[in-house]
């Protein structure tokens, strides 16, 4: 049996859950994000977590061919691999609306990979994510 969705995720992303259009929100206060290419994100899921249903994974938004992993603020000093971009204070993200369901791979606009309503915690652990991306970097040619 899976755990109920995180109330913290609902609170952090409430504006997107009630909007009818994508919402632009600033990083750096309630959350930061790490941007990866979609194919790198999928590889991290397989390498570290098995798949996107792992409860250790927080919210992930996508837009075009990029994924945005939500993490707690303050991890900009981590040694993020060159193919991952840390987004903190000064960065803005366009977040999908709640009715843009996960898994609509043919839709290239803002969409959820892991929505606030589907997670047991809003954030992926930043150190764990950085480590997973580092493992992935070591496997790339």
């Amino acid at each position: 049996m899976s755990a109920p969705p995180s109330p913290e995720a609902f609170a952090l992303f409430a504006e997107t859950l009630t909007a009818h259009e994508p919402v632009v929100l600033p990083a750096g206060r309630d959350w930061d994000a790490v941007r990866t290419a979609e194919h790198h994100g999928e590889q991290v899921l397989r390498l570290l977590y098995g798949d996107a249903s792992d409860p250790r994974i927080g919210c992930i938004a996508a837009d075009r061919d990029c994924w945005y992993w939500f993490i707690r603020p303050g991890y900009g000093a981590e040694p993020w691999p060159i193919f991952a971009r840390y987004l903190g204070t000064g960065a803005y993200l366009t977040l999908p609306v709640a009715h843009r369901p996960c898994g609509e791979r043919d839709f290239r606009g803002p969409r959820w990979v892991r929505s606030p309503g589907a997670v047991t915690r809003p954030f992926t652990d930043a150190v764990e994510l950085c480590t997973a991306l580092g493992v992935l970097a070591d496997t790339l040619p």
Side-chain angles (χ1 to χ4, degrees), residues 83-107:
F83 60 83
R85 173 123 189 246
Y86 180 82
L87 303 170
T89 301
Y92 288 80
L93 289 180
T94 301
L95 300 184
V97 295
H99 69 270
R100 175 61 59 206
C102 301
E104 286 192 29
R105 294 182 61 88
D106 59 336
F107 180 78

Side-chain angles (χ1 to χ4, degrees), residues 89-141:
T89 301
Y92 288 80
L93 289 180
T94 301
L95 300 184
V97 295
H99 69 270
R100 175 61 59 206
C102 301
E104 286 192 29
R105 294 182 61 88
D106 59 336
F107 180 78
R108 303 313 291 170
R111 63 197 184 284
W112 290 108
V113 176
R114 297 257 307 167
S115 73
V119 297
T120 56
R121 60 185 188 174
F123 304 117
T124 299
D125 181 88
V127 174
E128 195 172 280
L129 178 60
C130 188
T131 300
L133 289 167
V135 168
L136 179 60
D138 289 343
T139 67
L140 298 175

